[in-house]
Amino acid sequence: MGDLQIIDEVGHDAADRLNGHLAEVKELIGRSLEAKKFAYCPYSKFRVGAALLTHDGTVFTGCNVENACFCLGICAERTAISKAVSEGYRDFKAIAISSDMCEQFISPCGGCRQFMREFGANWDVYLSKPDGSHVEMRVGDLLPASFGPEDLKVKKSNIMNEF
Amino acid sequence: MGDLQIIDEVGHDAADRLNGHLAEVKELIGRSLEAKKFAYCPYSKFRVGAALLTHDGTVFTGCNVENACFCLGICAERTAISKAVSEGYRDFKAIAISSDMCEQFISPCGGCRQFMREFGANWDVYLSKPDGSHVEMRVGDLLPASFGPEDLKVKKSNIMNEF
Amino acid sequence: MGDLQIIDEVGHDAADRLNGHLAEVKELIGRSLEAKKFAYCPYSKFRVGAALLTHDGTVFTGCNVENACFCLGICAERTAISKAVSEGYRDFKAIAISSDMCEQFISPCGGCRQFMREFGANWDVYLSKPDGSHVEMRVGDLLPASFGPEDLKVKKSNIMNEF
Amino acid sequence: MGDLQIIDEVGHDAADRLNGHLAEVKELIGRSLEAKKFAYCPYSKFRVGAALLTHDGTVFTGCNVENACFCLGICAERTAISKAVSEGYRDFKAIAISSDMCEQFISPCGGCRQFMREFGANWDVYLSKPDGSHVEMRVGDLLPASFGPEDLKVKKSNIMNEF
Ligand SMILES: [Zn+2]
Ligand SMILES: [Zn+2]
Ligand SMILES: [Zn+2]
Ligand SMILES: [Zn+2]
């Protein structure tokens, strides 16, 4: 009996944690949807919003900022991350991404995946739809066989002195 | 006599305006110097800070955020501007830039000049040194014969329908 | 007996194909190693070479081309691909990548994965070491849940007309 | 008489040089117009071509290569330059740029100006129209108060050891 009760309590705790997590995710996706409204995208007309959750609970939002020279624009995810870094944050828990696509979960481009990867492979990315539904992935899953800052240190030590 | 007095007053006004302007510039450069301390630049070890003044007096700061894939990093100026855009601002008065170089005024890269140009050619750029001394330039002076959003509209209408 | 002979022949054919494939891979990796010698990388001192095989057997090589503004450099893979496109090619079979790292297979950055993805998800990427050993991956494996040109068409049709 | 004859000859020589230069420019612009036909620009529909003349007379052509993630595309000028570098060239005399705009001379973006600047400030850029008419500028004129590889060396020595 005692054992069952314990298990029951554990079950309650797990459900609470799950609900707490889902509420947190929904909240972050909501922030990314709001951020989308500031998107500057006169060329693609494709609005993207992002909301980045730091280790201490602070949220930084971002949107895409395009340029007449297309290749000089900045994605929503990179805006949010560079914004956080510029305020002293480098430790992230999750990032939510949203767009206007109703039938597809918005996914980060390869450039943004590498930009996320710079700050670790073990944090969450929530790909969402405007109705708030989402898919959860880890940065490391989005960029398999990736390299990051720690690899570059290894790399340098191995380079033959040809320069 | 009256005329001279008027001229004198005008002179005072002009001097006041100049002093007011200089104080504003020094303040903005100070903010860019502070922003520099958050620079994430493990690869170049070259810290850059930026402070962007919007039309309503709000200041957004930025720093460089580098990446293990060098070409995916973001400059301090672009961080500050995308940050402001992500908070609803697109109308800028000036941007101050600072670095650790004591003998040279830090100048924006061509990519950042184009990123500034997207939001107009007629606003100020202050290239500074750590001691607060600076050079004032206009975005348009830094990027002569440039093209911006308005040109792309013209351009498109002229393209032959070959696609 | 006849059946066994047929199986034997099939086995021979499969082995021949495998050997043929391996010879092709080694050849391409060899070309990427040669390409590495033209790398312009005064900032990272990290040389990278790439060799791109097109559908008709033509090979385009590339190297990294860095810039004093780190974020304006171009990776070896992107050099090779843009080179091929500028000569009329858009249909690729494989790309080999090589660096000076002896203990690690060089892997493409996220930006290059997206640049490859533009031209399809079903072609090969050979991550190599200077001794010629390698790992084979598909573009799609390197960028799971990616989006490409076809998605952008879908996307646009779904955007609410808010602009 | 003798003097006049000499002046006359000098005049002939100068005119010959000018004609020779113009023929060279026209030839390079022609190559950039041809290069434009390979442009991969499904997003902007804005075709750009470039032709780069190296110190030994070799010409490398380039076109823009766009990406579904707009900011990962590469301009025509950068394609041509990275192509040349990947074949061992780093010493350039001139680059011609062309587009489909009939009423405007196509001008390089800030990113490309910085990419050119990496290889010197004293070489020519020809901004052209489809009819072959053009404007001549120097890299240094297109990017005033620029910094290049030599500055970064200076810079590094001046950085305070705070890292
Ligand atoms: Zn992105
Ligand atoms: Zn810059
Ligand atoms: Zn890359
Ligand atoms: Zn460009």
Side-chain angles (χ1 to χ4, degrees):
Chain A
M1 278 286 282
D3 280 356
L4 272 178
Q5 203 174 359
I6 289 165
I7 289 167
D8 198 29
E9 276 165 12
V10 170
H12 273 290
D13 280 5
D16 283 356
R17 270 199 307 277
L18 186 63
N19 287 335
H21 175 68
L22 272 176
E24 199 181 80
V25 172
K26 291 293 173 203
E27 162 80 13
L28 202 63
I29 290 175
R31 295 292 299 274
S32 76
L33 282 163
E34 279 169 39
K36 204 179 56 179
K37 73 167 182 270
F38 292 127
Y40 173 76
C41 50
Y43 310 110
S44 70
K45 308 261 192 270
F46 191 82
R47 304 189 307 167
V48 184
L52 177 72
L53 180 66
T54 66
H55 68 286
D56 74 356
T58 308
V59 172
F60 290 91
T61 58
C63 62
N64 47 337
V65 183
E66 298 189 342
N67 195 276
C69 173
F70 283 19
C71 65
L72 289 171
I74 299 185
C75 296
E77 301 92 315
R78 276 183 261 186
T79 295
I81 295 172
S82 61
K83 205 166 155 178
V85 171
S86 78
E87 302 287 339
Y89 289 86
R90 295 181 187 182
D91 201 349
F92 309 128
K93 288 176 72 176
I95 189 167
I97 317 171
S98 62
S99 79
D100 292 319
M101 293 190 295
C102 294
E103 286 154 33
Q104 234 175 303
F105 296 103
I106 177 78
S107 186
C109 80
C112 286
R113 294 176 193 203
Q114 188 74 51
F115 205 76
M116 293 171 188
R117 171 68 185 81
E118 187 73 19
F119 302 99
N122 294 314
W123 51 292
D124 289 337
V125 185
Y126 309 134
L127 321 183
S128 81
K129 287 184 190 170
D131 63 6
S133 62
H134 73 281
V135 169
E136 286 193 40
M137 294 187 80
R138 304 288 279 176
V139 171
D141 297 334
L142 286 165
L143 207 65
S146 72
F147 65 90
E150 55 290 354
D151 299 294
L152 217 63
K153 276 164 211 153
V154 176
K155 283 169 187 175
K156 274 182 174 162
S157 64
N158 292 329
I159 297 178
M160 289 160 285
N161 280 320
E162 299 182 28
F163 291 92
Chain B
M1 278 287 284
D3 279 357
L4 273 177
Q5 204 172 359
I6 288 165
I7 289 166
D8 198 30
E9 276 164 15
V10 170
H12 272 291
D13 279 5
D16 282 355
R17 272 199 306 277
L18 184 64
N19 286 334
H21 175 69
L22 272 175
E24 198 181 81
V25 172
K26 290 293 172 204
E27 162 79 13
L28 201 63
I29 290 174
R31 295 291 299 275
S32 76
L33 282 164
E34 279 168 38
K36 203 178 57 180
K37 74 167 180 271
F38 292 127
Y40 173 76
C41 50
Y43 310 110
S44 71
K45 306 261 192 272
F46 191 82
R47 304 189 306 168
V48 184
L52 177 71
L53 180 66
T54 66
H55 68 286
D56 73 356
T58 309
V59 172
F60 290 91
T61 57
C63 61
N64 46 337
V65 183
E66 297 188 343
N67 195 276
C69 173
F70 284 19
C71 64
L72 289 171
I74 300 186
C75 297
E77 301 93 315
R78 276 182 262 186
T79 295
I81 295 172
S82 60
K83 206 167 155 178
V85 171
S86 77
E87 301 286 340
Y89 290 86
R90 296 181 186 181
D91 200 350
F92 309 127
K93 287 176 72 176
I95 189 167
I97 316 171
S98 62
S99 80
D100 292 321
M101 293 190 294
C102 295
E103 285 154 35
Q104 234 174 305
F105 296 102
I106 177 77
S107 186
C109 80
C112 286
R113 294 175 192 202
Q114 188 75 50
F115 205 76
M116 294 171 188
R117 171 67 184 80
E118 187 72 20
F119 303 99
N122 295 314
W123 50 292
D124 289 337
V125 185
Y126 309 133
L127 322 182
S128 80
K129 286 184 190 171
D131 63 7
S133 62
H134 73 281
V135 169
E136 285 192 43
M137 294 187 80
R138 304 286 279 176
V139 171
D141 297 335
L142 286 164
L143 206 65
S146 72
F147 65 89
E150 56 290 354
D151 298 294
L152 217 63
K153 276 165 213 154
V154 176
K155 284 169 187 174
K156 275 181 173 163
S157 64
N158 292 328
I159 296 177
M160 290 161 285
N161 280 322
E162 299 182 28
F163 291 92
Chain C
M1 276 288 283
D3 279 357
L4 273 177
Q5 204 174 358
I6 288 163
I7 291 166
D8 199 28
E9 275 164 14
V10 170
H12 273 290
D13 280 6
D16 282 355
R17 271 199 307 277
L18 185 64
N19 286 335
H21 175 68
L22 273 176
E24 199 181 80
V25 172
K26 291 293 172 203
E27 162 79 13
L28 202 63
I29 291 174
R31 294 292 298 275
S32 76
L33 283 163
E34 279 169 39
K36 203 177 58 179
K37 74 167 181 272
F38 292 126
Y40 173 77
C41 50
Y43 309 111
S44 70
K45 308 258 191 275
F46 191 81
R47 303 189 308 168
V48 184
L52 176 71
L53 181 65
T54 66
H55 68 287
D56 73 355
T58 309
V59 172
F60 290 92
T61 58
C63 62
N64 46 338
V65 183
E66 297 189 343
N67 195 276
C69 174
F70 283 19
C71 65
L72 289 171
I74 299 185
C75 297
E77 302 92 317
R78 276 182 261 186
T79 295
I81 295 172
S82 61
K83 205 167 154 177
V85 171
S86 77
E87 302 286 339
Y89 290 86
R90 295 181 187 181
D91 201 350
F92 309 128
K93 288 175 71 177
I95 189 166
I97 317 172
S98 62
S99 80
D100 291 322
M101 292 190 295
C102 294
E103 285 154 34
Q104 235 175 303
F105 295 103
I106 177 78
S107 187
C109 80
C112 286
R113 294 176 193 203
Q114 189 74 51
F115 205 76
M116 293 170 188
R117 170 68 185 81
E118 186 73 19
F119 303 98
N122 295 313
W123 51 291
D124 289 336
V125 185
Y126 310 134
L127 321 181
S128 81
K129 286 185 191 169
D131 64 7
S133 61
H134 73 281
V135 169
E136 284 193 42
M137 295 187 79
R138 304 286 280 176
V139 171
D141 297 334
L142 286 165
L143 207 65
S146 72
F147 65 89
E150 54 291 353
D151 298 294
L152 217 64
K153 275 165 214 155
V154 176
K155 283 169 185 174
K156 276 182 171 162
S157 64
N158 292 330
I159 297 176
M160 288 160 287
N161 280 321
E162 300 181 28
F163 290 92
Chain D
M1 280 285 283
D3 279 357
L4 272 178
Q5 203 173 358
I6 288 164
I7 290 168
D8 198 28
E9 275 165 13
V10 170
H12 273 290
D13 279 5
D16 282 355
R17 271 199 306 277
L18 185 64
N19 286 334
H21 175 67
L22 273 176
E24 198 180 81
V25 173
K26 291 292 172 203
E27 161 80 13
L28 202 63
I29 291 175
R31 294 292 299 273
S32 77
L33 283 164
E34 278 169 39
K36 204 177 57 179
K37 74 166 181 271
F38 291 127
Y40 173 76
C41 50
Y43 310 110
S44 70
K45 307 261 192 270
F46 191 82
R47 304 188 307 168
V48 184
L52 177 71
L53 180 67
T54 66
H55 68 288
D56 74 355
T58 309
V59 172
F60 290 92
T61 58
C63 61
N64 46 337
V65 183
E66 297 188 344
N67 195 275
C69 173
F70 283 20
C71 65
L72 289 171
I74 299 185
C75 297
E77 301 93 315
R78 277 182 260 186
T79 295
I81 295 172
S82 62
K83 205 167 155 178
V85 171
S86 78
E87 302 286 340
Y89 290 86
R90 295 181 187 181
D91 201 350
F92 309 128
K93 287 175 72 177
I95 189 166
I97 317 171
S98 62
S99 80
D100 291 320
M101 292 190 295
C102 294
E103 285 154 34
Q104 235 175 303
F105 296 102
I106 177 77
S107 186
C109 80
C112 286
R113 294 175 193 203
Q114 188 75 50
F115 204 77
M116 294 171 188
R117 170 68 185 80
E118 187 73 20
F119 302 99
N122 295 313
W123 51 292
D124 290 336
V125 185
Y126 309 134
L127 322 182
S128 80
K129 287 185 190 169
D131 63 7
S133 62
H134 73 281
V135 168
E136 285 193 42
M137 294 188 79
R138 304 287 280 176
V139 171
D141 298 334
L142 286 165
L143 207 66
S146 73
F147 66 88
E150 55 290 353
D151 299 294
L152 216 64
K153 275 165 214 154
V154 176
K155 283 169 185 175
K156 275 182 172 162
S157 65
N158 292 329
I159 297 177
M160 288 161 289
N161 279 321
E162 298 182 29
F163 291 92

